[in-house]
Amino acid sequence: MCIHQLNLLAASNNLPITNFLGKQHPIEAHHLSSICDIMEKAMVNGDTCIIRCILVVFQVVFKFFFSPQTERNRDIVRRSGLLLWQLLMAPRDQICSEIQKEVCLAISSGLNILYPGEAEINNLLKLVLTEGERNSGLSQLRDVILTNLAEQLQNNRFGSEDDDHYRLNDELLHYILKIVVRESCVLITKCQTVSKDDFQRLLSTVPAASSCLRYLMAVQNHLLSNTILIKPDENDDSDSSLQGETLKVQELKTSILSLATQILTGCDEVLEMLQQVTTALINSDIADREQRLKGLEQITKATMLGHLLPVLLTSLMHPNLQTLTMADALMPQLVQLVLYTSQTALLLKTQSPVFSELNSSPSGVSEQKGKLLPDERMLEEKEEPGFLTGLKIPAPWAAGKTVETVHPVRDNYKFKETVHIPGARCLYLRFDNRCSSQYDYDKSNSVFYVLKLVIYAGPNTNSRKVAEYGGNTLGYGSRSVLGTGWPKDLVKVEGDTVTFSFEMRSGREHNTPDKAMWGFACTVRAQESSEDVSGGLPFLVDLALGLSVLACSMLRILYNGPEITKDEETCQELLRSKLLQRCQWQVEANGVISPALTPSPSPLPLTIDEDREFTYPSDVLVPPVGHYFDLPRIRLPPGIMIKLREISGLVICSMSA
């Protein structure tokens, strides 16, 4: 176990032992061969103690002391891999769980040595992802590998050399997502199927995330954070630098779109299962139905709906991801998710009156009311305006904002802060009962100590002064308090902005206690009391609101259409030209718009009023029948042609027959 402790210490990159181990020379092939010999004898004799020690040695050797450069080394590596694989696939009655865990750690430590090629690693991961549910050893190996990859990915920046190694390909991500969806559905189903005691134990284990879910979270956070935080190098104005940043952003957005599409599709399946379980619980005869429905929200937070979806929704609202491509691809799935979440939230909300009557009404009546057919429930739901009815949506400033100094106040201390609550008619200030300061101390010795708070109704100290407070009730200072001292009741400030200015112009005397120089603390609210304000929303209601906001944002992008290009901005004056607007255009077979060919079969007016909009006959845009000229020409009205001839001074002679 000393070697095991050495291995754990070496895992930290900040410890000196890591640098020491990294400078050691690789061990020779015959040393690793001797280790394999010891392992084989221990496996034959069933000596679990030696097997565990050799497995720990494998972990250290693979991580620091071995490099398979020669053919002999590769043969020894293959032999080591076979031994590890035999232990991993051994029946459970022949191998203890501790040894199986050490085998998984050894394979994970030597993953790049035991499986040197990308194809070999992908084949191994595909095996553990597809067969992990049928074999405990493969399942544990999958968890260890994905946990290590998730930790490495969190510390790795997008585009680095190791990025492709830690971020798996789309096929493997698809397998991982299928496992996460299945795990989420199983977890939600247990709310209905397990016993009462097992359900209580289940509540105590969430919201712990599985290894597959942790890896998906790492991939999602890796891509989203780099997309949002990526910035071009301000010191490098070269075209190659800008082009490189653009390519990196485009690659990130493509990866995010692919991952977001799969995550939303998976959440669609989980929400469908959640709705089915909710309906089944509502119509069931389970004694603890109320507790299960309340615990269902906590269980839901432990699934991909709680670990993946909220982060994705928030990040997709960032301007870097508010693109037409994203909106066009994700809009159908967002609409479906909004529908599922709002319906499920409404189902849970309809049970609130049922729960409140369980204690007051007879059991038969309550069960009859709770056990409704879907059609009858839909009729009752029509009476409900929506899942938000009766809910108080908390504002960001509902709990108020606390403004305070350091405690106690330092010598020569200055403090200034402005609080702004948009939309507030007035602000209410409540001061802490510990507020205390020293005011106007010892003028006889020409030492002027003053520490007071001045409040202004506005964004700065030039605004209207509301009041000033200071002093203490402990007798320190020639004037203990300023005016009436610190207020005990609410202080009302008109408007939505208040500024606090607190200053100590000199130091305090050494015998002044800290409680006399405590400073101040004040809570600013937009209402007199926060008792009627909700502390939060139910998870499904909050999720439905977040999905609705994102869906509306994406709809706005779809409505506005593609962004105006630089070429279009440059040609704005030309596009607004009346001359160009009066040209005849035709749509070709391949969809390209081009000037219509002449001659035109329709007569055009000889005079045109420039201030009046000109309209063509309906058959003008129909391609003419007969002979076509080699080059298309823009057909202009005769009135404009006459004016152009007059301006140019050209006289076109008519040719006689």
Side-chain angles (χ1 to χ4, degrees):
M1 289 301 98
C2 293
I3 300 179
H4 208 329
Q5 188 65 28
L6 179 67
N7 186 30
L8 294 176
L9 291 174
S12 176
N13 295 327
N14 299 325
L15 296 178
I17 189 174
T18 306
N19 299 328
F20 171 76
L21 292 176
K23 296 178 181 179
Q24 303 305 304
H25 296 288
I27 67 172
E28 298 180 3
H30 67 274
H31 291 152
L32 185 58
S33 178
S34 300
I35 296 175
C36 293
D37 292 339
I38 299 174
M39 173 65 82
E40 287 180 347
K41 292 180 181 179
M43 292 172 62
V44 172
N45 298 329
D47 192 337
T48 57
C49 182
I50 294 179
I51 291 176
R52 291 183 65 183
C53 291
I54 297 301
L55 288 174
V56 176
V57 171
F58 272 138
Q59 297 175 40
V60 179
V61 169
F62 287 153
K63 187 175 294 185
F64 297 105
F65 299 112
F66 195 77
S67 178
Q69 299 294 337
T70 64
E71 184 62 29
R72 184 181 179 186
N73 287 1
R74 286 190 286 269
D75 292 338
I76 297 300
V77 167
R78 283 190 289 268
R79 182 185 176 189
S80 304
L82 289 175
L83 292 174
L84 293 173
W85 199 256
Q86 289 177 11
L87 289 172
L88 182 68
M89 302 303 293
R92 290 298 301 272
D93 56 350
Q94 298 180 10
I95 182 173
C96 61
S97 58
E98 290 82 5
I99 291 181
Q100 194 174 65
K101 179 181 178 181
E102 296 297 342
V103 172
C104 295
L105 291 174
I107 295 177
S108 178
S109 300
L111 191 63
N112 294 326
I113 296 177
L114 297 172
Y115 304 92
E118 181 180 353
E120 295 184 14
I121 294 180
N122 290 341
N123 291 335
L124 172 66
L125 293 174
K126 186 175 180 180
L127 176 64
V128 299
L129 290 173
T130 54
E131 302 295 331
E133 300 299 325
R134 302 182 182 92
N135 185 280
S136 60
L138 294 178
S139 176
Q140 192 167 5
L141 179 61
R142 176 198 67 195
D143 294 342
V144 171
I145 292 177
L146 291 181
T147 301
N148 290 340
L149 290 177
E151 292 175 355
Q152 297 295 335
L153 194 59
Q154 290 175 348
N155 300 324
N156 188 49
R157 181 172 175 79
F158 181 85
S160 64
E161 296 179 357
D162 297 330
D163 182 63
D164 294 335
H165 173 64
Y166 301 136
R167 190 157 58 92
L168 305 179
N169 57 39
D170 292 340
E171 182 184 9
L172 296 176
L173 280 178
H174 179 68
Y175 286 125
I176 295 174
L177 186 63
K178 288 178 62 177
I179 296 174
V180 170
V181 172
R182 183 168 60 251
E183 291 174 344
S184 300
C185 292
V186 170
L187 196 60
I188 292 174
T189 307
K190 286 182 178 180
C191 296
Q192 177 190 356
T193 58
V194 299
S195 63
K196 182 178 180 180
D197 294 337
D198 291 338
F199 180 70
Q200 294 299 327
R201 282 191 290 268
L202 180 63
L203 289 177
S204 64
T205 59
V206 296
S210 65
S211 59
C212 293
L213 185 53
R214 286 183 59 189
Y215 180 76
L216 272 185
M217 292 165 57
V219 172
Q220 177 180 265
N221 295 340
H222 176 70
L223 294 175
L224 293 174
S225 61
N226 281 285
T227 304
I228 293 173
L229 300 177
I230 190 171
K231 295 180 180 179
D233 188 0
E234 299 179 355
N235 299 324
D236 189 357
D237 298 333
S238 62
D239 295 338
S240 60
S241 174
L242 297 176
Q243 184 178 5
E245 293 294 341
T246 303
L247 293 176
K248 186 182 296 184
V249 171
Q250 292 300 327
E251 183 182 353
L252 278 167
K253 290 182 178 180
T254 303
S255 301
I256 289 174
L257 178 58
S258 175
L259 181 63
T261 303
Q262 297 183 62
I263 290 177
L264 294 182
T265 303
C267 290
D268 192 3
E269 297 182 31
V270 178
L271 279 169
E272 185 177 2
M273 177 60 67
L274 177 62
Q275 193 177 53
Q276 294 175 4
V277 172
T278 304
T279 306
L281 283 174
I282 291 173
N283 295 326
S284 67
D285 297 326
I286 302 177
D288 58 337
R289 179 164 59 95
E290 178 183 359
Q291 287 73 23
R292 289 179 185 260
L293 285 172
K294 290 182 178 179
L296 187 60
E297 179 175 274
Q298 182 179 349
I299 299 296
T300 304
K301 292 179 181 179
T303 66
M304 62 184 303
L305 297 178
H307 286 292
L308 290 175
L309 193 55
V311 177
L312 181 62
L313 298 183
T314 304
S315 300
L316 287 177
M317 291 297 296
H318 193 273
N320 289 353
L321 296 174
Q322 291 277 291
T323 62
L324 185 60
T325 304
M326 287 280 185
D328 189 36
L330 302 180
M331 196 63 222
Q333 294 169 315
L334 287 176
V335 173
Q336 187 65 33
L337 291 177
V338 170
L339 182 63
Y340 274 136
T341 51
S342 57
Q343 286 179 345
T344 308
L346 184 57
L347 276 176
L348 292 174
K349 183 176 183 297
T350 56
Q351 296 308 297
S352 299
V354 177
F355 295 150
S356 62
E357 296 174 10
L358 281 176
N359 297 328
S360 59
S361 60
S363 59
V365 177
S366 62
E367 291 178 2
Q368 181 75 17
K369 188 173 181 181
K371 199 172 180 181
L372 295 174
L373 296 175
D375 295 339
E376 296 174 344
R377 186 159 301 284
M378 291 303 296
L379 291 176
E380 280 202 354
E381 288 174 5
K382 291 181 181 179
E383 301 175 1
E384 287 283 350
F387 64 93
L388 292 176
T389 303
L391 293 175
K392 297 178 180 179
I393 301 178
W397 53 83
K401 181 175 181 181
T402 301
V403 179
E404 61 181 321
T405 61
V406 296
H407 308 296
V409 179
R410 302 185 301 265
D411 292 344
N412 300 317
Y413 178 77
K414 292 184 179 181
F415 175 89
K416 179 183 176 184
E417 186 167 345
T418 299
V419 177
H420 173 62
I421 299 181
R425 299 178 182 176
C426 59
L427 301 178
Y428 295 92
L429 281 57
R430 183 179 295 278
F431 287 86
D432 193 291
N433 55 11
R434 293 171 292 178
C435 292
S436 180
S437 64
Q438 194 171 345
Y439 179 72
D440 195 15
Y441 182 83
D442 197 3
K443 287 186 178 179
S444 60
N445 295 329
S446 300
V447 179
F448 188 62
Y449 294 90
V450 59
L451 190 56
K452 64 179 180 179
L453 169 68
V454 183
I455 299 175
Y456 301 90
N460 50 52
T461 55
N462 295 326
S463 305
R464 178 178 60 87
K465 181 189 292 187
V466 176
E468 57 181 22
Y469 306 105
N472 60 83
T473 58
L474 303 175
Y476 290 91
S478 59
R479 288 186 292 175
S480 298
V481 296
L482 173 63
T484 58
W486 295 94
K488 304 298 182 182
D489 300 325
L490 288 176
V491 177
K492 183 178 179 181
V493 178
E494 297 293 337
D496 60 357
T497 306
V498 60
T499 299
F500 298 86
S501 179
F502 192 68
E503 181 179 359
M504 182 176 183
R505 297 182 183 176
S506 182
R508 62 172 176 171
E509 197 176 51
H510 66 277
N511 61 349
T512 304
D514 288 343
K515 59 182 179 180
M517 300 293 291
W518 188 82
F520 86 94
C522 177
T523 301
V524 182
R525 291 192 178 96
Q527 50 193 15
E528 294 188 32
S529 175
S530 61
E531 295 178 357
D532 298 332
V533 178
S534 171
L537 292 176
F539 174 69
L540 286 175
V541 174
D542 197 8
L543 197 61
L545 282 175
L547 286 164
S548 302
V549 171
L550 180 60
C552 291
S553 176
M554 294 297 187
L555 280 175
R556 189 182 304 111
I557 296 174
L558 291 174
Y559 178 78
N560 293 332
E563 297 182 359
I564 299 177
T565 63
K566 293 183 178 180
D567 294 336
E568 290 175 328
E569 292 179 356
T570 307
C571 299
Q572 281 297 319
E573 296 297 329
L574 182 60
L575 292 175
R576 287 195 291 265
S577 171
K578 292 184 178 180
L579 181 65
L580 189 61
Q581 292 174 3
R582 289 171 179 168
C583 297
Q584 301 180 44
W585 302 88
Q586 71 177 14
V587 180
E588 299 179 355
N590 58 0
V592 179
I593 300 177
S594 63
L597 301 178
T598 55
S600 174
S602 303
L604 297 174
L606 295 177
T607 59
I608 294 178
D609 187 359
E610 294 293 334
D611 297 330
R612 184 167 51 87
E613 188 67 24
F614 173 73
T615 58
Y616 286 100
S618 59
D619 60 341
V620 169
L621 297 179
V622 178
V625 180
H627 177 69
Y628 285 80
F629 293 92
D630 294 335
L631 297 176
R633 294 187 299 167
I634 298 177
R635 175 71 177 181
L636 297 178
I640 294 180
M641 293 300 299
I642 293 175
K643 291 183 179 180
L644 289 175
R645 293 190 186 102
E646 292 176 354
I647 294 174
S648 62
L650 297 178
V651 179
I652 301 179
C653 300
S654 60
M655 298 182 64
S656 60

